[in-house]
Amino acid sequence: ISATLSNEKDENNWTSFILPSRDPYPLPDLVEFGQFLTAALTFTQCLANIKVYVNQTLQLDINKTILESHTIATPKASSWWKNDGALISSSTGMFVLGKGSDLTQTSVQMTVSLRKDVSNPDSAMETSTVRARYASAMVKTKIPPDVEKRIIRVTKKNPPKELTVQIFLDAANHDEDDESLTIKRNTKFNLNKLANIGTKQSMASKITDSFSPT
């Protein structure tokens, strides 16, 4: 497994994990492994690309591209006696959006390429793409004493006074030429055509489909 940082100008930006084995062992399911890696890559600040090689052959390639990022204005109450502004704290009051903290919305594109046949290094790579949005903000913490004691007991560290909270908003598949997307679009309009086409779905699409919380 190799992963690269966002700074492509750095020639030493690759981090590789080489897992040699004297005895052959079953490979993990690359679809399930890809789903895990894609989810793990979502909120990382530095990692942009993950490649998985098996016997020097590229089997899985996941690439994250930040499309845009902008600040969201926090809606304020229309008047001091109305509570119609944005909710800036959690229900328990454990997390509170501090004054002057920016609420940022980021759009990313995840591109997944997966080899169709792991046993055949000459087989083609199939590709699927999904775009997603998430919001993030720096919040202040107010940890109850009993919870703080449990956190310290488990982590051996004091809980942070501030931290970044990230919330996944949505995701949409952008494989315009993917047959599975055509099936989804025609489900409500042409059931007969759906029966003829079947429910064939590429393995790469299974990875990007799992990326969406819906």
Side-chain angles (χ1 to χ4, degrees):
I1 303 175
S2 297
T4 182
L5 300 177
S6 300
N7 183 12
E8 297 180 356
K9 296 181 180 179
D10 184 0
E11 297 179 355
N12 300 316
N13 61 357
W14 278 96
T15 300
S16 299
F17 301 91
I18 302 174
L19 308 175
S21 175
R22 292 183 178 180
D23 300 321
Y25 55 85
L27 292 174
D29 184 277
L30 288 182
V31 172
E32 293 182 359
F33 193 35
Q35 292 172 348
F36 165 75
L37 292 177
T38 303
L41 193 61
T42 306
F43 300 108
T44 57
Q45 298 296 319
C46 298
L47 287 180
N49 179 243
I50 297 176
K51 297 178 184 289
V52 179
Y53 290 84
V54 178
N55 295 331
Q56 290 77 48
T57 300
L58 178 64
Q59 299 291 348
L60 177 64
D61 186 0
I62 304 174
N63 187 70
K64 179 181 70 174
T65 303
I66 297 179
L67 301 177
E68 64 91 21
S69 182
H70 64 273
T71 302
I72 303 174
T74 305
K76 298 181 180 180
S78 56
S79 60
W80 65 270
W81 67 85
K82 289 185 178 180
N83 191 23
D84 55 356
L87 186 66
I88 61 173
S89 64
S90 61
S91 59
T92 60
M94 191 175 296
F95 305 110
V96 179
L97 186 65
K99 293 183 179 180
S101 297
D102 291 333
L103 181 62
T104 304
Q105 177 178 294
T106 303
S107 298
V108 299
Q109 177 172 290
M110 308 292 287
T111 302
V112 177
S113 297
L114 180 65
R115 194 168 300 280
K116 291 183 177 181
D117 186 356
V118 178
S119 60
N120 182 9
D122 297 324
S123 62
M125 299 281 285
E126 54 188 19
T127 301
S128 182
T129 301
V130 63
R131 293 179 184 176
R133 297 183 304 135
Y134 66 88
S136 60
M138 182 70 71
V139 298
K140 295 182 178 180
T141 62
K142 295 182 179 180
I143 311 297
D146 58 329
V147 177
E148 183 175 0
K149 290 180 180 179
R150 283 182 285 174
I151 292 176
I152 295 175
R153 185 172 66 250
V154 173
T155 65
K156 310 303 180 185
K157 297 179 180 179
N158 293 321
K161 299 298 182 182
E162 292 184 337
L163 54 81
T164 300
V165 174
Q166 297 174 315
I167 301 175
F168 195 101
L169 299 178
D170 60 18
N173 196 300
H174 283 258
D175 298 331
E176 296 299 334
D177 57 346
D178 191 277
E179 185 178 15
S180 63
L181 183 60
T182 303
I183 293 174
K184 293 177 183 178
R185 288 177 173 174
N186 291 333
T187 300
K188 297 181 180 179
F189 304 99
N190 195 338
L191 295 178
N192 292 330
K193 185 177 181 180
L194 175 63
N196 294 331
I197 294 177
T199 57
K200 183 180 178 181
Q201 185 182 28
S202 69
M203 293 188 295
S205 294
K206 291 181 181 179
I207 295 176
T208 55
D209 282 353
S210 70
F211 188 68
S212 173
T214 57

